Amino acid sequence: MLFSNDVALSVKQTTKGQSVFLSSLYSVRSEKCGGNFKKVVAYIRQLTGCNPLAQSLYQMICKNEIVTKTQKIAIFEGLYVLFRELLPRPGQRTEEKPIEDMDVFEYSTHCWAYLITEAANQSMEHEEYTPMIPSSEEGPRFCDPVNVPGTPVIFEKSHVLQKIRDGEKIPNCSEQVLGESSLKRAIDIEKILLSLPPFITTYFLWLTHADMPGENFQVNMKKTFAVMTEKLTEFPFLRVTPPLQLKEAGQPGPLPVLLSEDNLGICLFKDKCKPQEIKVLHFLSGKEETVNLDELALS
C-alpha cells in the first residue's frame, strides 16, 4: 500500500513527520491527479535531476497507477532529500530557525505548497513520454529480455534460443549465424520491469534529454521559510482543518485533520446519519477509523 508507513528511511523521521508526509502525499494525489501534476513533475526533475523520483511520481499521480515497493522507496527517499534542500538546514541560512534532519517530514505541506507554486510557470519542453509494452511479441511478460544484433526489437531470451535451435532466422538480424553469446541483456528493460506491477501492460517512459541536470539535488533556495508558510494558506487541501469547521461543512473530504498532537490524518467523508462523525484515514495504523468531531475538538 502506497500510503502505509512501511519504508525504513535512511534518516529516521518523527512520528508526527511520518503522518504529515503520508497525509500530504495523499492530499496532493487526490487534488492533482492527472495532467495537473505534470508541471510539478517537470519542476522536480529540473531541481533534482532524479529521474526515478520524477518517473515514479508521474506514474503514481499523473497516470494514477499503483507503484511497486521499489518506486515507493524512490518517492520517499527522493522527497526526503528534496525537502531537506528546501528547508532551513542547521548551520546554513542563519537568519532562519533551522529544521533538524529528523523533523523534515513535519514540514512536508510547506514543501508541497512551494513546489506546486514554483511549478506553475515550468516549461514542459522536456516532459515527453513514450509508451513501452513490457512483454514480448508472443504475449507473455518479459522474464529475460535480450537485444538481438541489428534489430531494435526486444526479445524473450528463451524464444530466441528456440529459434536458433530450430534454425529460424530473425528478421533484420545482422549476424549470419546467430549464437547465444551474441545476445545482450536488455538491462534498461530489466530495470523497468523491476519497477512495474505485473498487471501493467503499457508503461509511459520518460524520453531522456542530454541537457537535463545530473542527479545532484543542489537546490538554490530563493524563498524564505516564512514565504513558504505564507504560500501554504493558498492550498486548503494541505492545511489542517479545524474539527468545528468540518462539522459545519457538507461533505468535506478529503482534508487534513489533526487527530492528536503528533498525528495528522485525512478526513475522507462525514457519516450522513451521524453528522458529528467523520471517517478518517489514519496513516500510522494504515486503517480507516470513525472519529467524533466534538471529542476531536476537545482533545
Side-chain angles (χ1 to χ4, degrees):
M1 178 181 175
L2 174 62
F3 300 104
S4 58
N5 189 32
D6 60 353
V7 172
L9 285 166
S10 55
V11 179
K12 186 175 176 60
Q13 297 297 288
T14 63
T15 300
K16 180 180 180 181
Q18 293 167 26
S19 70
V20 173
F21 174 77
L22 290 167
S23 61
S24 63
L25 186 60
Y26 183 96
S27 294
V28 168
R29 190 177 77 157
S30 298
E31 183 71 18
K32 296 292 182 179
C33 183
N36 290 337
F37 195 71
K38 200 171 179 182
K39 281 192 173 185
V40 184
V41 172
Y43 184 60
I44 289 175
R45 195 190 305 278
Q46 179 188 350
L47 281 180
T48 67
C50 184
N51 294 327
L53 170 60
Q55 180 75 48
S56 298
L57 287 172
Y58 175 80
Q59 183 177 330
M60 181 191 77
I61 299 178
C62 296
K63 302 302 292 183
N64 196 27
E65 295 175 343
I66 295 174
V67 297
T68 63
K69 185 64 176 288
T70 301
Q71 288 177 302
K72 181 176 177 178
I73 293 171
I75 291 171
F76 283 38
E77 289 284 0
L79 288 178
Y80 168 77
V81 179
L82 175 56
F83 291 175
R84 175 66 282 178
E85 288 296 317
L86 297 179
L87 297 168
R89 186 190 296 270
Q92 297 179 350
R93 293 160 64 178
T94 53
E95 72 281 3
E96 299 180 280
K97 180 182 177 180
I99 293 172
E100 300 294 333
D101 291 349
M102 66 180 296
D103 299 328
V104 165
F105 274 0
E106 293 188 18
Y107 300 91
S108 298
T109 51
H110 296 70
C111 295
W112 279 121
Y114 173 83
L115 291 169
I116 294 169
T117 300
E118 294 297 306
N121 298 317
Q122 174 65 30
S123 169
M124 301 291 285
E125 178 185 3
H126 292 157
E127 209 59 23
E128 300 177 278
Y129 296 80
T130 185
M132 193 279 289
I133 300 175
S135 59
S136 62
E137 292 182 339
E138 292 69 42
R141 184 181 172 97
F142 284 121
C143 292
D144 194 0
V146 293
N147 292 298
V148 173
T151 173
V153 179
I154 303 298
F155 292 90
E156 179 61 41
K157 184 176 181 178
S158 61
H159 176 67
V160 177
L161 294 179
Q162 186 61 53
K163 283 183 174 294
I164 292 174
R165 287 192 292 269
D166 295 342
E168 294 184 35
K169 296 289 185 180
I170 294 180
N172 301 317
C173 177
S174 59
E175 295 197 5
Q176 289 294 324
V177 180
L178 180 64
E180 183 176 354
S181 61
S182 299
L183 305 179
K184 304 296 182 183
R185 288 173 54 196
I187 297 177
D188 53 342
I189 302 299
E190 289 180 353
K191 291 179 178 179
I192 292 172
L193 290 171
L194 288 173
S195 66
L196 286 184
F199 55 82
I200 290 183
T201 56
T202 303
Y203 181 69
F204 290 86
L205 180 65
W206 179 71
L207 296 175
T208 303
H209 289 268
D211 57 344
M212 286 297 290
E215 191 171 321
N216 52 38
F217 286 88
Q218 297 301 309
V219 180
N220 181 22
M221 276 299 292
K222 297 180 180 179
K223 301 288 173 62
T224 65
F225 183 70
V227 171
M228 293 173 70
T229 302
E230 184 180 333
K231 284 295 180 184
L232 185 57
T233 63
E234 300 176 11
F235 301 96
F237 64 92
L238 291 173
R239 298 199 313 265
V240 174
T241 310
L244 293 180
Q245 186 175 323
L246 288 172
K247 190 174 182 179
E248 295 170 359
Q251 286 296 325
L255 288 174
V257 58
L258 200 60
L259 303 177
S260 64
E261 186 178 355
D262 62 349
N263 185 12
L264 190 67
I266 291 290
C267 169
L268 298 173
F269 55 85
K270 288 173 68 173
D271 190 321
K272 293 182 179 179
C273 300
K274 300 177 181 179
Q276 76 277 16
E277 293 185 348
I278 59 172
K279 183 73 74 173
V280 300
L281 186 53
H282 188 303
F283 293 98
L284 298 181
S285 68
K287 299 178 181 178
E288 292 184 10
E289 300 177 4
T290 300
V291 176
N292 186 289
L293 286 170
D294 293 323
E295 295 176 0
L296 196 60
L298 294 173
S299 63

